[in-house]
Amino acid sequence: MNGTLAALPAWADALCAFLLVAGAFFAFVGSLGLAKLSSFEKRLHGPTKAATLGVGGALLASIVYFAARDDAVYGHEFLVTLFVFVTAPISAHLMIKSALHLAGRDPRAPDIEARR
Amino acid sequence: MRRLVPAPLSSLALWIAWLMLNGTLAPGHLVLGAVLALALPPLLAPYTRPQPRLRRPGAIVRLAFVVLHDIIRSNIEVARLILGPEARIRPGFVRVPLALTEPQAIATLAGIITMTPGTLSCAVAPDRSYLLVHALDLDDPDRLVADIKARYERALLEIFA
Amino acid sequence: MTAAVLPYVAVAFGVALAFALYRMVRGPGLPDRILALDTMYVNAMALLVLFGLMLDTVLYFEAALVIALLGFIGTVALAKFLLRGDVVEID
């Protein structure tokens, strides 16, 4: 299945594998939280942070792999990583705002801290 | 100079993004990217607010490292909470009073809060006096607020001053 | 080492995608479904990058970039629609 992978220097290989495994772990846990937790506010925490770091790990691993293979850095992955990290908080913010709005909860209500 | 390059930072960022997208440093792309980078910010200016001045590049770099470190820490924290029993999670809302006034600075702070330890920014007060934050595990609201102010807001105050 | 872990990593991302799909089918609310879609596009992008690694080609970066852009815009448009009942507001 992976017979096509180029041979890398040992450090790049190890770093790449570590980033992949760490990214996969976080993405997995983030989605597990999405499936498992019981309220929308709790569910929102998993994917927004963990999935972002997960995809970040995969992208960094791919940067390391192709940098070691070709001795050149491809700009695309950097741009994608940057873009994902900048946009994740924005979509999270809009989603929680729309959830509060649909539930009829005013974020300005003075008693919102008390409700859990 | 100022009239020729009205938004030097945006232009530089656009130019670098163009070169990265094309994955080349060929002269043709250097020129084409430069033309686009100079022409786009003035065309977009009517649709955006005036950008505040950024200062203290050192503080920006330091804040970036603090945030990167906190992103990783927050992910381990959140992973532990998700994998543990759900009854142990005590979510809650908390209000963070703001010392920042610049809209861009508040937006940056909101983004940082969302990416770091178990917190999500939900809403800004209409008068920009506080930020409503949802925490996944809220055991000490006062410490959370003090933490956010000390770690991120102080640096942002310096940068956007 | 990378070659050894790659299949397991791909499976982990695939399971993550399945969890998100479960949440999207199950609901219960519209924000949940948007959140699930958001998670799915992020995971799909990661899978695409892994696929590029497996095939040893940089061609898939362009696709990842397009998914990132369209996924974000889709999430924002849907959330905005729930929030205001409108996506593009003209005033």
Side-chain angles (χ1 to χ4, degrees):
Chain A
M1 189 174 175
N2 305 304
T4 51
L5 274 189
L8 294 183
W11 66 268
D13 196 33
L15 183 59
C16 194
F18 170 74
L19 286 170
L20 280 176
V21 171
F25 171 74
F26 284 123
F28 177 81
V29 169
S31 286
L32 180 67
L34 177 65
K36 173 187 163 189
L37 298 178
S38 62
S39 81
F40 180 75
E41 284 91 11
K42 282 191 233 169
R43 284 198 281 270
L44 194 52
H45 283 275
T48 49
K49 284 183 259 284
T52 308
L53 199 70
V55 76
L59 285 160
L60 281 179
S62 143
I63 292 177
V64 170
Y65 175 81
F66 287 107
R69 193 195 70 169
D70 296 352
D71 279 330
V73 176
Y74 290 88
H76 282 79
E77 290 142 306
F78 267 124
L79 287 180
V80 175
T81 316
L82 203 66
F83 186 79
V84 169
F85 271 83
V86 170
T87 55
I90 301 171
S91 30
H93 178 74
L94 274 170
M95 281 190 276
I96 194 153
K97 263 181 103 162
S98 64
L100 287 174
H101 173 76
L102 282 188
R105 292 165 68 180
D106 184 357
R108 280 162 295 179
D111 63 335
I112 194 154
E113 286 107 324
R115 295 192 55 177
R116 300 216 157 164
Chain B
M1 192 63 197
R2 195 83 208 156
R3 200 173 318 148
L4 196 66
V5 189
L9 269 181
S10 311
S11 290
L12 187 68
L14 275 174
W15 194 49
I16 292 174
W18 176 264
L19 293 177
M20 280 170 103
L21 262 181
N22 286 290
T24 171
L25 284 174
H29 274 300
L30 286 177
V31 173
L32 183 57
V35 168
L36 286 172
L38 289 180
L40 282 176
L43 286 176
L44 290 175
Y47 304 101
T48 54
R49 298 163 169 280
Q51 296 294 313
R53 294 288 293 272
L54 298 180
R55 50 198 79 201
R56 303 225 190 194
I60 299 178
V61 173
R62 206 165 336 114
L63 181 66
F65 274 106
V66 169
V67 170
L68 214 61
H69 168 255
D70 285 359
I71 287 176
I72 293 168
R73 207 186 53 172
S74 99
N75 272 284
I76 295 169
E77 183 99 346
V78 169
R80 232 193 46 228
L81 286 170
I82 289 175
L83 290 174
E86 204 192 325
R88 213 184 288 159
I89 302 175
R90 292 149 301 165
F93 286 98
V94 66
R95 273 174 226 269
V96 180
L98 287 173
L100 295 163
T101 48
E102 203 74 59
Q104 279 92 343
I106 296 175
T108 314
L109 181 66
I112 291 174
I113 287 174
T114 300
M115 292 310 286
T116 52
T119 48
L120 273 172
S121 45
C122 307
V124 189
D127 59 355
R128 297 186 199 140
S129 60
Y130 66 85
L131 200 63
L132 184 69
V133 171
H134 182 267
L136 184 58
D137 195 32
L138 188 71
D139 51 4
D140 187 353
D142 295 329
R143 221 189 65 209
L144 180 69
V145 171
D147 236 25
I148 289 174
K149 291 188 87 71
R151 284 184 86 83
Y152 318 121
E153 197 185 22
R154 185 129 35 89
L156 284 173
L157 274 173
E158 270 180 42
I159 292 166
F160 283 93
Chain C
M1 214 149 112
T2 306
V5 296
L6 208 46
Y8 300 100
V9 169
V11 167
F13 275 107
V15 173
L17 202 61
F19 279 141
L21 185 66
Y22 163 79
R23 182 51 71 193
M24 191 172 81
V25 173
R26 178 87 196 284
L30 287 172
D32 278 296
R33 297 200 160 96
I34 298 176
L35 177 60
L37 259 183
D38 189 72
T39 315
M40 280 175 82
Y41 94 73
V42 168
N43 281 320
M45 199 167 71
L47 274 175
L48 208 57
V49 171
L50 291 181
F51 193 55
L53 265 181
M54 279 182 188
L55 295 184
D56 199 27
T57 166
V58 293
L59 279 178
Y60 289 93
F61 298 163
E62 320 265 346
L65 193 63
V66 172
I67 292 189
L69 288 168
L70 291 182
F72 169 65
I73 292 170
T75 306
V76 168
L78 285 169
K80 191 89 194 293
F81 182 73
L82 288 191
L83 198 59
R84 306 281 187 118
D86 210 343
V87 179
V88 181
E89 290 172 49
I90 301 160
D91 47 14

